[in-house]
Amino acid sequence: MPMDSAMDEALNSTAFAELVLGGFDEKAVQAAAERGRERLGGNATLAFIFCTCDYAGSLKDLIELVQIHARCPHVVGMSASGLVGVGREEEGEQGFSLLLLRLPHAEVMTAALGSDEGSNGEWARTREWNDGGCTGWVVLGNPLSLGEDWMGEWNTHVGRTATYGGLASGSFRAEDLFVFNEHGIQNATAVAVGFRGNVRLSGLVSQGCRPIGEPLTITRAEQNLIHQLASKSAYDQLQAAFHSLPETDREHAQGNILVGLAMTEYREDFHTGDFLVRSILGGDPKLGILAVGASPRTGQTLQFQLRDHEAADSELRELLLLKRRELAHSPFAGLLFTCGGRGEQLFGKPHHDAGLFRDAFGSVPMAGLFCNGEIGTVGERAYLHGFTAAGVMLVEGA
């Protein structure tokens, strides 16, 4: 190989991932960080660390060890109920999932963002970075304070820039959940990581549903209430969608039918992945009204959705196939944020989501976790999701 080619190759973005099981062990962390630096062929730019809640007391040491032995200035992460690695999902195990990135032709920034006036400076810095050519964001959030209002504020600041991430998990006790950056645990709603330069984020959100019934136009809506669909009672249209199912599916469908709101009206046919899926909160058969976990608008297309393991499996397979076809270059790294309601309890076997990503992209370095909620861009906005798998691939090229 000519010297110039070898030098160019050495400057390319690289990644290293490792899933380490067990309680905090200084030697194990040091060894993983050193292996990563060796594999990267130089100093790391950024580390993602997802660790179980028992690491909280050792988090300062964990961060410092990764910074020192991987020569890594930026570190972000959060608590996890379960860990994701390359083709692996470990539920109910202690440990951490590590992804190291070496980005010689890109820049990164981290910001701790709250919902009070004290974080206005961080919000301003985030907006300035976004306006300066940001190619994508990863958001790691606290489920106690990151909700739809916060996501609305986020979208105001970053506009259409691709955003993916998830919410911390690992305990029913609020004080046990945490998000952190290189400065330690942050008393913030979220830690955000922005990228710019020769790296971009390309993601997907698998919502685990398949459309049922027919696409319907919302003809009367008010706040989160849908009164009419195609000029008929919204409740009656839900019943019609339920009865359109084969009798063998109806028992399972109880409590598992949701609404899908089309993200664009510029389609003749709607398919899996074209909808933002939200829960049905209740209904009034007398008034014909449905209450949903969103703010639908009159004129928007709605199609009811059925959530089950078969739909979740087939949808993720389809989206991964489409993503492979879409990408002009192979990804060099990935992150997977999957719902704590998926995993073995949904699919009846381990490693489902992580395994499908490995099938699609090979042994690309990947880290992730089981979340209390997932964040992903659908259409031109970032949303907070549930029961989803939000995956993001890092690809060279602005």
Side-chain angles (χ1 to χ4, degrees):
M1 178 182 294
M3 185 175 294
D4 288 347
S5 298
M7 186 176 297
D8 288 343
E9 184 174 297
L11 290 174
N12 287 346
S13 300
T14 52
F16 167 82
E18 186 163 319
L19 201 161
V20 179
L21 299 183
F24 176 79
D25 182 301
E26 182 176 327
K27 291 182 179 179
V29 177
Q30 178 179 333
E34 289 177 345
R35 279 192 294 273
R37 185 168 179 267
E38 181 180 357
R39 188 75 58 84
L40 295 177
N43 297 347
T45 307
L46 170 67
F48 286 94
I49 308 174
F50 307 115
C51 57
T52 47
C53 291
D54 55 288
Y55 274 63
S58 306
L59 194 60
K60 183 175 182 292
D61 293 333
L62 175 65
I63 295 169
E64 288 184 354
L65 286 166
V66 171
Q67 286 189 297
I68 292 169
H69 295 287
R71 304 291 195 273
C72 184
H74 298 289
V75 177
V76 295
M78 60 183 172
S79 61
S81 61
L83 304 169
V84 174
V86 180
R88 292 173 59 191
E89 297 174 4
E90 299 294 340
E91 303 178 62
E93 297 282 351
Q94 293 176 294
F96 66 93
S97 182
L98 171 69
L99 178 68
L100 293 173
L101 302 175
R102 181 170 180 267
L103 308 172
H105 299 301
E107 299 175 274
V108 301
M109 68 89 79
T110 67
L113 301 169
S115 54
D116 56 9
E117 293 183 0
S119 65
N120 284 346
E122 288 288 86
W123 276 108
R125 194 164 67 92
T126 299
R127 186 163 194 163
E128 180 181 351
W129 180 275
N130 190 76
D131 293 343
C134 183
T135 57
W137 292 94
V138 174
V139 172
L140 311 179
N142 187 325
L144 302 177
S145 52
L146 195 156
E148 296 292 350
D149 289 344
W150 193 92
M151 289 304 303
E153 182 76 7
W154 174 260
N155 281 300
T156 298
H157 280 78
V158 308
R160 300 176 180 179
T161 307
T163 301
Y164 295 89
L167 305 186
S169 62
S171 175
F172 293 108
R173 291 159 47 95
E175 59 267 30
D176 292 338
L177 302 175
F178 52 86
V179 296
F180 60 89
N181 60 16
E182 55 267 20
H183 304 297
I185 291 177
Q186 296 297 305
N187 183 24
T189 298
V191 169
V193 187
F195 297 82
R196 64 187 183 193
N198 189 40
V199 62
R200 65 182 179 88
L201 274 57
S202 181
L204 60 85
V205 178
S206 178
Q207 300 180 93
C209 298
R210 59 182 170 91
I212 61 172
E214 297 294 327
L216 303 166
T217 300
I218 299 173
T219 46
R220 185 184 169 200
E222 178 186 7
Q223 297 180 335
N224 73 320
L225 302 178
I226 303 174
H227 294 260
Q228 291 185 344
L229 292 168
S231 300
K232 295 182 180 179
S233 154
Y235 190 91
D236 288 346
Q237 295 283 32
L238 169 62
Q239 292 296 101
F242 173 79
H243 288 292
S244 73
L245 292 169
E247 194 168 339
T248 53
D249 290 346
R250 291 179 192 170
E251 182 176 350
H252 166 74
Q254 297 283 354
N256 285 305
I257 296 181
L258 301 92
V259 296
L261 300 170
M263 291 292 96
T264 177
E265 301 303 320
Y266 301 105
R267 290 184 184 274
E268 292 184 4
D269 299 307
F270 292 94
H271 304 284
T272 296
D274 293 335
F275 298 93
L276 174 67
V277 177
R278 286 293 184 259
S279 298
I280 298 175
L281 305 178
D284 188 323
K286 292 183 179 179
L287 297 177
I289 296 172
L290 294 178
V292 300
S295 298
R297 65 181 187 275
T298 299
Q300 190 172 20
T301 298
L302 177 151
Q303 189 165 8
F304 293 105
Q305 311 280 320
L306 178 64
R307 181 175 61 211
D308 61 20
H309 70 277
E310 291 181 359
D313 175 77
S314 62
E315 183 196 32
L316 182 54
R317 290 177 186 273
E318 180 181 344
L319 291 174
L320 286 168
L321 179 61
L322 292 172
K323 182 59 61 178
R324 281 189 60 188
R325 293 173 177 171
E326 171 194 317
L327 293 176
H329 304 287
S330 297
F332 65 89
L335 293 163
L336 176 57
F337 304 91
T338 190
C339 178
R342 292 172 70 98
E344 285 195 66
Q345 71 174 358
L346 178 62
F347 298 105
K349 60 180 183 180
H351 318 307
H352 178 273
D353 291 348
L356 291 186
F357 270 83
R358 182 185 56 193
D359 292 346
F361 296 107
S363 297
V364 170
M366 173 172 278
L369 74 160
F370 286 88
C371 300
N372 262 328
E374 301 74 55
I375 296 169
T377 295
V378 176
E380 296 182 345
R381 291 174 61 86
Y383 294 91
L384 180 61
H385 305 276
F387 298 100
T388 57
V392 60
M393 309 309 293
L394 279 71
V395 185
E396 286 198 313

